[in-house]
Amino acid sequence: MTSSHASAGGGLGRGGRVVAVLGPTNTGKTYLAIERMLGHRSGMIGFPLRLLARENYDRIVSIKGRNAVALVTGEEKILPPNPAYWVCTVESMPLDRAVDFLAVDEIQLCADPERGHIFTDRLLNARGLVETMFLGSDSMLPMIRRLVPKAEFVSRPRFSQLTYAGHKKLTRLPPRSAVVAFSATDVYAIAELIRRQRGGTAVVLGALSPRTRNAQVGLYQAGEVDYLVATDAIGMGLNMDVDHVAFARIVKFDGFAPRRLRPAEVAQIAGRAGRHMRDGTFGTTDEVGELDADLVSRVENHEFETVKALSWRNSDLRFDTPGFLLKSLEERAPIAELSRVREADDHLALQALVRDPEIMDLAKGRDAVRLLWEVCQVPDFRKVLSDAHTKLLAQIFRGLRGPMRRLDDDWVAKQIARLDRTEGDIDALVARIAHIRTWTYISNRPVWLKDPLHWQERTRAIEDRLSDALHERLTQRFIDRRSATLSRTLKDGRALLGGVRADGEVVVEGHVVGRLEGFRFVPDAPDRSDEAKSLLTAARRALRDELAKRLRAFEAEPDDVFALGPDGVLSADGLPVARLAAGPSVLTPLVVPFDEGMLDQAQRERVRARLDRWLKDHIAARLKPLFALSGADGLSGGLSGAGRGLAFQLVEGLGVLPRAPVAAMVERLEREDRKALTRLGVRLGVSHLYLTALAKPAAVSLRALLWAVAKGHPLPVPVPPPGRVSVEALPVTDGGAPPAFWEAIGYPVAGGRALRVDMLDRLETELLTTSKAGTPIREVALGQRVGLSAEELGAVLAGLGYARAVAEDGTVTWKRRRPQAPRPRREAPTNADHPFAKLRQLSGM
């Protein structure tokens, strides 16, 4: 168009009927336009995205056949000999071809600061011979009415209702939700969180190739994941079964500065929720908080500010010289409703190239300048317009202005070969795809290459490989296939196929979900995580029959497969199945099965009952003398009152009882009681009463475990090694055990040493004997007999209350210190008139 408004208006008289079909998303505008186009002999429709163009091309081909439809985008051209219908991106519409029907989708993009001038040009100048249709938001109505006076307007109401649902935590969003952010960093972080909490999510970014984007959306549409995390790229061109759109950010960078989304932008993105007749909701995550009530009302009721100005750039360009070209690009808009666009990428590229003297030398003549402009329009799909891209454009222009007037095949091959690699992370693949898309665009300029079809096929194949690799990387990083599969199956209520491998691995629906150790399921996930809970649920459902079979076999197992470890864990065939807990008495601990929710209450009771039978027999066998003492020959037998009392306390003390507190009862023992206790293995030692047979290592270890379980002491406890008659008794503060523990296992503590009770008794007996006989004590020999050095012996004896005495001739004796008699209490003087004093007087009378 020319720079004058009159010239712009002059184009409006061409063509037939002009219709603007306006309304919110999900109103069937595109469907209507394609239906109208196919009712004409020929037609052309322009879409804002290559993705949309390809999708609708396939749809029209299925109706009219491949020979009737052409596809024209910057990166792809499918041109049958005589197509009746043209499906294009807006930038690639071949407007020199006359068609009966012409349509432009998303016409509100006329206001877009980057691409808007292209849409504005189509609004002002693109017409069908019979009918022209513009599709978009009703915010464009006043502007179209002003610029295209003869336009008719059709309003399309939304098929479904869009309702605000408030804010929710990211991890509480309902299934079939799309989460929107505005940077790749935010998208990746949100996707990682959803993968950990919900099993996975599809990811959509503007930087993805159409193939990758479609593959990611395909995962979501197929139900493999219930969530989609995306930038505002989903606001256009993606029709998905989204029930809820959640804004994780409400501020975006618009190329100049961060700003809050406008109501129309919120509506465009939120409109992805609810398709056709199904209602949808929108809201925010907790980081954003509640949306402003006015904004919510505008979105729900589709009430937006009308577009006040359209982006515009002069399309009547002068190609005399690069300077004239730049000047024509910078021409001011002819009317107030049009606003000259800021320098677009092609304009910036031209400004950079004309600073190169060599380029200026080559850009002489209208054809050369026109070619330079075409080269500047080669897109940088990374959207950064780097020096590297500018240098590439310069090389392309030099090649096209060289002797062959086309690009050198070897140079092109070398540039493309560098991109034909699928290794690297997500960012590396995204960058490589952006580069190859640039070369795909170049390959679709047929006069620039010797064999354009070859390069089109080559670049498309590389883009497809890179796109597939990127899809795979995204899937690996952001989708836990196992969790996604199990979550979907659990939600559907279908039966789960599962089993247990020989090594204990649990496999459900082809995925390893954890290990089954006895009846205890150990999930392949962090403890107490949502993932661990879902894996447990899946394993429990899938292994219902396997668990029932295992339980029957468990109940029939012989006793020799069971064992009790020093940590209080009961095992069967080496697999932990239960633990001990404090019970009614020290000899009757409780059995608590390990099942982690795999068994129901009745099944747990069956496991407990089988282990309880084994445990009672095990304790009775290891501590047989103790049970004999409490049986028919002991507490229930012929012992007298004093004997029975001592036997009871011995059983409670696990076979060891300090003598001093029960000395009176010992003195009252009758001869028959003493004989009976001796027959039962009880020795009435100098300082302790004890069962001699319980000094065996197995009995010591079991008593240690039973005492610790009953008292709630941490396990395992420090049991003396077999054969050792004394060990150092560390204090509790240094990781040791209390004196009561050592007493219970038959190793009373004296002088910082725990000495086996029979050895202690032997020591004390010998001391008494030597003391009565008045014979000297040979400390070294005495210590050796009880496994103590002379120094350790001295500490033990001192701890037992003995005092060492050395005579003048060097003779050593040890004598028990007599306890000091209590000092007589000195009575306080009393008042003779006090009532108690009077009472004493009466008592003495």
Side-chain angles (χ1 to χ4, degrees):
M1 63 176 282
T2 66
S3 61
S4 69
H5 180 48
S7 297
L12 302 179
R14 304 191 318 272
R17 179 186 183 214
V18 177
V19 181
V21 182
L22 306 178
T25 58
N26 189 30
T27 56
K29 297 185 294 292
T30 304
Y31 182 88
L32 172 66
I34 290 176
E35 187 179 56
R36 292 291 301 165
M37 181 175 76
L38 298 184
H40 291 275
R41 288 181 304 171
S42 62
M44 181 184 299
I45 186 167
F47 292 99
L49 299 173
R50 169 187 168 192
L51 186 74
L52 269 175
R54 181 73 205 213
E55 179 184 307
N56 284 288
Y57 165 79
D58 292 337
R59 177 179 161 197
I60 296 168
V61 163
S62 69
I63 299 171
K64 291 292 187 179
R66 193 166 297 277
N67 290 332
V69 192
L71 174 66
V72 182
T73 71
E75 302 162 68
E76 187 175 15
K77 289 182 175 62
I78 301 175
L79 299 171
N82 294 296
Y85 304 102
W86 298 75
V87 182
C88 320
T89 51
V90 173
E91 286 87 345
S92 301
M93 295 173 75
L95 298 179
D96 55 339
R97 291 186 173 269
V99 289
D100 288 346
F101 176 90
L102 185 143
V104 178
D105 193 18
E106 305 291 357
I107 196 62
Q108 74 276 3
L109 288 177
C110 285
D112 183 75
E114 293 183 6
R115 302 171 63 204
H117 62 282
I118 303 292
F119 285 79
T120 300
D121 181 71
R122 303 301 182 256
L123 175 67
L124 296 176
N125 296 319
R127 296 292 182 268
L129 298 175
V130 178
E131 184 176 5
T132 301
M133 187 174 283
F134 298 112
L135 319 172
S137 166
D138 45 19
S139 62
M140 280 290 292
L141 191 150
M143 191 60 69
I144 294 176
R145 178 171 286 151
R146 169 77 177 84
L147 296 176
V148 189
K150 74 170 190 175
E152 304 170 28
F153 292 92
V154 176
S155 179
R156 301 280 291 191
R158 184 177 164 91
F159 290 146
S160 59
Q161 197 73 24
L162 186 61
T163 308
Y164 179 58
H167 73 279
K168 290 183 175 70
K169 283 187 174 181
L170 198 58
T171 53
R172 300 289 183 185
L173 292 175
R176 312 312 291 169
S177 287
V179 184
V180 179
F182 297 100
S183 73
T185 301
D186 285 343
V187 167
Y188 293 161
I190 293 166
E192 288 277 12
L193 178 59
I194 293 178
R195 186 194 68 81
R196 291 195 302 271
Q197 299 289 339
R198 297 298 184 91
T201 177
V203 172
V204 172
L205 303 163
L208 302 185
S209 66
R211 185 182 179 95
T212 305
R213 198 181 309 186
N214 282 341
Q216 286 289 301
V217 171
L219 289 175
Y220 176 84
Q221 287 296 91
E224 293 191 42
V225 291
D226 272 334
Y227 299 90
L228 178 80
V229 183
T231 61
D232 49 352
I234 67 162
M236 199 176 295
L238 292 174
N239 294 320
M240 300 166 293
D241 298 325
V242 174
D243 293 336
H244 179 75
V245 170
F247 290 87
R249 302 288 183 272
I250 206 69
V251 174
K252 68 175 287 187
F253 183 77
D254 65 0
F256 291 105
R259 63 166 176 81
R260 290 182 67 83
L261 294 179
R262 300 184 182 97
E265 293 170 322
V266 172
Q268 181 72 31
I269 299 167
R272 298 300 102 190
R275 302 303 294 170
H276 198 55
M277 303 304 293
R278 192 179 72 251
D279 292 341
T281 59
F282 71 100
T284 59
T285 61
D286 52 348
E287 282 191 41
V288 174
E290 294 289 350
L291 291 179
D292 177 75
D294 180 63
L295 186 151
V296 170
S297 175
R298 286 174 178 271
V299 173
E300 288 182 335
N301 298 302
H302 316 296
E303 297 172 349
F304 309 116
E305 290 186 5
T306 58
V307 173
K308 298 295 190 295
L310 307 185
S311 293
W312 176 87
R313 185 171 76 178
N314 181 26
S315 59
D316 186 16
L317 302 178
R318 292 187 60 182
F319 296 104
D320 304 84
T321 67
F324 276 120
L325 176 58
L326 282 170
K327 187 176 180 181
S328 60
L329 284 168
E330 293 163 2
E331 191 166 322
R332 295 170 63 89
I335 57 174
E337 290 83 356
L338 305 179
S339 174
R340 188 173 74 83
V341 70
R342 68 173 187 255
E343 284 84 355
D345 287 350
D346 50 6
H347 191 170
L348 293 171
L350 178 62
Q351 289 176 338
L353 289 179
V354 298
R355 288 195 288 269
D356 184 337
E358 185 183 353
I359 298 295
M360 289 298 288
D361 285 342
L362 294 172
K364 291 180 177 176
R366 292 181 61 85
D367 290 342
V369 175
R370 190 182 297 274
L371 177 62
L372 177 61
W373 180 234
E374 290 176 1
V375 169
C376 289
Q377 291 178 304
V378 172
D380 178 8
F381 286 99
R382 291 170 300 164
K383 305 293 185 186
V384 295
L385 198 65
S386 63
D387 288 343
H389 185 69
T390 304
K391 289 177 181 176
L392 174 65
L393 298 184
Q395 287 177 292
I396 291 172
F397 184 67
R398 291 190 195 100
L400 295 175
R401 290 295 293 159
M404 299 178 65
R405 291 295 193 265
R406 61 172 178 258
L407 300 178
D408 179 70
D409 278 358
D410 291 339
W411 178 75
V412 172
K414 184 178 178 181
Q415 301 300 311
I416 291 175
R418 291 188 297 111
L419 304 173
D420 194 7
R421 296 179 294 115
T422 56
E423 69 274 11
D425 60 12
I426 290 172
D427 290 337
L429 289 171
V430 166
R432 228 169 277 151
I433 288 173
H435 283 300
I436 200 64
R437 289 180 70 186
T438 295
W439 282 102
T440 301
Y441 180 94
I442 293 168
S443 70
N444 277 279
R445 310 295 299 210
V447 298
W448 290 9
L449 296 160
K450 180 180 179 181
D451 187 358
L453 289 177
H454 163 74
W455 294 114
Q456 288 168 19
E457 292 171 1
R458 178 80 193 282
T459 55
R460 177 52 50 79
I462 294 173
E463 182 182 333
D464 287 350
R465 281 194 294 274
L466 291 172
S467 297
D468 292 342
L470 177 57
H471 172 61
E472 182 182 343
R473 299 288 197 287
L474 290 169
T475 302
Q476 287 173 349
R477 180 170 172 184
F478 299 122
I479 298 178
D480 183 336
R481 290 279 194 182
R482 178 184 68 186
S483 295
T485 300
L486 297 179
S487 175
R488 188 169 61 254
T489 308
L490 288 170
K491 183 177 67 176
D492 294 344
R494 291 187 282 114
L496 289 167
L497 298 176
V500 183
R501 291 174 176 162
D503 61 358
E505 274 192 336
V506 177
V507 180
V508 178
E509 295 290 332
H511 299 283
V512 175
V513 298
R515 299 182 62 80
L516 193 61
E517 298 176 353
F519 298 104
R520 182 185 187 184
F521 176 68
V522 182
D524 182 26
D527 286 344
R528 295 183 177 85
S529 65
D530 288 344
E531 183 183 9
K533 292 175 186 175
S534 67
L535 294 182
L536 172 61
T537 302
R540 187 166 52 229
R541 274 179 49 178
L543 301 182
R544 194 173 288 129
D545 293 341
E546 171 68 21
L547 288 170
K549 184 174 74 173
R550 282 193 171 209
L551 183 54
R552 289 192 297 271
F554 178 81
E555 290 177 308
E557 291 280 16
D559 283 353
D560 58 7
V561 307
F562 300 112
L564 176 61
D567 55 356
V569 172
L570 290 153
S571 59
D573 279 328
L575 294 174
V577 289
R579 63 176 178 83
L580 298 186
S585 73
V586 69
L587 290 173
T588 54
L590 298 179
V591 174
V592 181
F594 290 139
D595 69 287
E596 307 297 334
M598 292 294 285
L599 303 176
D600 60 30
Q601 185 61 42
Q603 290 173 323
R604 276 194 294 275
E605 179 56 29
R606 288 167 63 187
V607 171
R608 191 206 63 75
R610 178 66 185 95
L611 291 172
D612 195 52
R613 289 198 305 273
W614 176 85
L615 181 64
K616 286 178 178 176
D617 292 345
H618 176 72
I619 294 174
R622 288 285 177 92
L623 304 181
K624 188 174 181 180
L626 206 58
F627 282 84
L629 186 60
S630 65
D633 296 328
L635 291 172
S636 304
L639 290 173
S640 67
R644 192 171 296 175
L646 289 173
F648 176 80
Q649 291 189 59
L650 270 169
V651 171
E652 287 293 303
L654 291 175
V656 180
L657 184 63
R659 183 163 180 155
V662 296
M665 294 178 69
V666 174
E667 293 300 321
R668 291 200 305 272
L669 284 174
E670 299 176 2
R671 175 187 287 273
E672 292 303 319
D673 285 337
R674 291 177 181 268
K675 288 182 179 179
L677 287 171
T678 301
R679 284 195 304 271
L680 289 166
V682 177
R683 176 167 174 80
L684 306 179
V686 176
S687 61
H688 288 80
L689 282 62
Y690 59 94
L691 283 161
T692 55
L694 293 184
K696 295 177 181 178
V700 171
S701 296
L702 181 56
R703 285 188 291 165
L705 175 60
L706 292 174
W707 181 91
V709 169
K711 303 298 182 182
H713 191 276
L715 292 171
V717 284
V719 179
R724 291 286 297 276
V725 296
S726 79
V727 292
E728 184 181 6
L730 293 172
V732 176
T733 53
D734 293 338
F741 164 76
W742 297 108
E743 280 289 348
I745 69 171
Y747 278 72
V749 175
R753 302 287 299 179
L755 191 62
R756 202 172 71 193
V757 66
D758 58 335
M759 291 293 108
L760 175 63
D761 192 40
R762 181 190 296 181
L763 175 64
E764 291 186 300
T765 300
E766 188 152 350
L767 284 170
L768 289 173
T769 301
T770 56
S771 178
K772 287 179 181 178
T775 56
I777 294 174
R778 296 178 179 177
E779 292 176 319
V780 174
L782 181 59
Q784 288 175 345
R785 283 199 290 276
V786 291
L788 297 172
S789 67
E791 184 181 352
E792 290 170 342
L793 176 66
V796 168
L797 292 177
L800 291 171
Y802 287 85
R804 186 173 188 266
V806 182
E808 291 182 1
D809 61 357
T811 302
V812 177
T813 58
W814 285 87
K815 293 185 179 180
R816 186 181 290 276
R817 289 188 292 266
R818 294 182 180 277
Q820 291 184 347
R823 294 181 180 179
R825 189 174 61 185
R826 196 172 79 183
E827 294 187 7
T830 58
N831 183 351
D833 295 328
H834 195 278
F836 285 115
K838 296 292 185 183
L839 183 61
R840 276 195 296 273
Q841 292 174 11
L842 291 171
S843 303
M845 291 178 64

